[in-house]
Amino acid sequence: MEKTFVMIKPDAVRRGLIGEIISTFERSGLSLYSMKMLRPTKDLVTRHYPDTTDWYSTVGKKCLDGYSLVGKDVKSELDTDDQVEIGKMVKRWLVDFLTSGNVVAMIWEGNSAVKNARRITGNTLPIMADPGSIRGRYSVDSPDIANAEKRPVHNLIHASGEIDEARDEIALWFPELHL
């Protein structure tokens, strides 16, 4: 049975959406394998996000696309338009955000768990998420607001994007399980 990692982020915890999110996954047919609430350390969150040029470039491109979407000049607001530098900036924002409060780390299992969890979660930009997805139903944040406040988009939830990523994230967040 395929397993995937899902994390309810501090914004969803603060808003009291834990039950709604878990219910959504349960109704989808996935099964909860393990769950814990914790306030992650800076070290844990830093290790969660890759430290590679490819990752920084991908994240930086998403940020640039977000600026383009709302017609803003990224260079005038962030003092750079370099994708890698912007990706590193976003990683710092993510570390600060995820360590700002409790998160709920979960392992879900089932048929095509990784792809199904991503489908249920919705697009990382809530304004582009399917209205039936978690982000589409419960998040109203957008790149223009997040970028103006120099923070990541508050999109409630993280779900692994690939099987290898899920395996690595499960091992990082649940080392006691030895899966």
Side-chain angles (χ1 to χ4, degrees):
M1 200 55 69
E2 188 174 291
K3 291 178 177 49
T4 193
F5 176 76
V6 174
M7 175 182 22
I8 300 173
K9 296 179 180 179
D11 53 330
V13 172
R14 283 191 278 271
R15 289 182 50 201
L17 295 173
I18 296 169
E20 291 288 332
I21 291 170
I22 291 172
S23 293
T24 300
F25 276 89
E26 287 176 326
R27 284 192 305 272
S28 78
L30 293 176
S31 297
L32 184 61
Y33 181 85
S34 189
M35 174 175 72
K36 62 183 172 184
M37 180 181 271
L38 69 150
R39 183 153 188 173
T41 63
K42 184 175 181 176
D43 177 62
L44 177 62
V45 176
T46 299
R47 288 184 293 135
H48 174 81
Y49 293 105
D51 187 25
T52 65
T53 301
D54 285 346
W55 188 87
Y56 290 126
S57 183
T58 298
V59 171
K61 172 127 177 44
K62 285 182 185 179
C63 188
L64 286 169
D65 291 346
Y67 270 87
S68 178
L69 186 68
V70 296
K72 293 202 175 190
D73 177 40
V74 69
K75 190 163 187 170
S76 67
E77 294 201 25
L78 299 181
D79 296 326
T80 184
D81 58 2
D82 180 83
Q83 285 181 200
V84 173
E85 288 307 309
I86 292 170
K88 289 178 180 180
M89 191 179 308
V90 171
K91 182 174 180 174
R92 288 191 299 272
W93 296 346
L94 287 163
V95 170
D96 289 345
F97 172 56
L98 289 180
T99 59
S100 72
N102 287 337
V103 302
V104 178
M106 300 174 287
I107 301 171
W108 289 90
E109 67 179 357
N111 182 42
S112 299
V114 172
K115 287 181 182 176
N116 278 312
R118 292 288 284 199
R119 179 183 52 80
I120 294 162
T121 299
N123 190 295
T124 57
L125 295 178
I127 60 172
M128 298 183 75
D130 183 292
S133 68
I134 290 168
R135 290 175 176 146
R137 282 186 294 175
Y138 300 114
S139 184
V140 295
D141 203 11
S142 61
D144 55 329
I145 294 169
N147 293 338
E149 295 177 1
K150 307 240 183 320
R151 62 168 174 80
V153 172
H154 290 174
N155 62 8
L156 309 174
I157 190 167
H158 164 81
S160 301
E162 299 174 4
I163 292 172
D164 290 343
E165 182 180 311
R167 185 188 63 247
D168 293 345
E169 290 175 350
I170 289 168
L172 178 65
W173 289 83
F174 291 89
E176 68 277 9
L177 296 181
H178 306 290
L179 295 177

